[in-house]
Amino acid sequence: MIKRKATEDGVEGVIAEADAVRIYPIPANEVFNVDAPTAINKLELFNIRGEKVAEAINANKLNVSELPQGVYIMQVETEEGMTSHKVSISR
């Protein structure tokens, strides 16, 4: 897992942080649940082409019931920064 955090001068740093964000179930078929140590500001889901296919603001659940099965990248934005995670949807 990779965590990106902006510094005071606006430059983003990259920090590895294990087990800070938990996403389950994987694979999902209806909803991804997300647990984080701080408040979640935004969840975004991207397909393999980099297109945003789902988003949730100030929520810890992301509905994926309308999406096709496959591998996706979920970005989780919290008060501490942003992390990216490989997730999958199965039918």
Side-chain angles (χ1 to χ4, degrees):
M1 169 176 12
I2 296 175
K3 181 177 180 180
R4 292 175 290 213
K5 189 169 185 177
T7 60
E8 289 179 9
D9 60 4
V11 177
E12 282 194 4
V14 177
I15 304 165
E17 186 174 301
D19 302 323
V21 173
R22 185 171 160 238
I23 301 170
Y24 60 95
I26 296 179
N29 61 11
E30 296 280 328
V31 172
F32 282 112
N33 298 292
V34 182
D35 291 337
T38 60
I40 296 170
N41 298 329
K42 182 169 32 173
L43 302 173
E44 295 179 307
L45 194 66
F46 297 89
N47 65 19
I48 198 158
R49 292 184 295 266
E51 301 164 332
K52 188 189 313 182
V53 295
E55 179 179 59
I57 306 294
N58 297 323
N60 65 343
K61 294 180 185 289
L62 185 63
N63 186 331
V64 295
S65 62
E66 301 292 321
L67 297 175
Q69 74 178 29
V71 175
Y72 295 83
I73 299 296
M74 182 183 292
Q75 288 188 342
V76 179
E77 182 183 317
T78 68
E79 296 171 351
E80 296 293 316
M82 185 180 299
T83 57
S84 297
H85 309 265
K86 181 178 159 184
V87 297
S88 59
I89 297 172
S90 179
R91 300 282 176 230

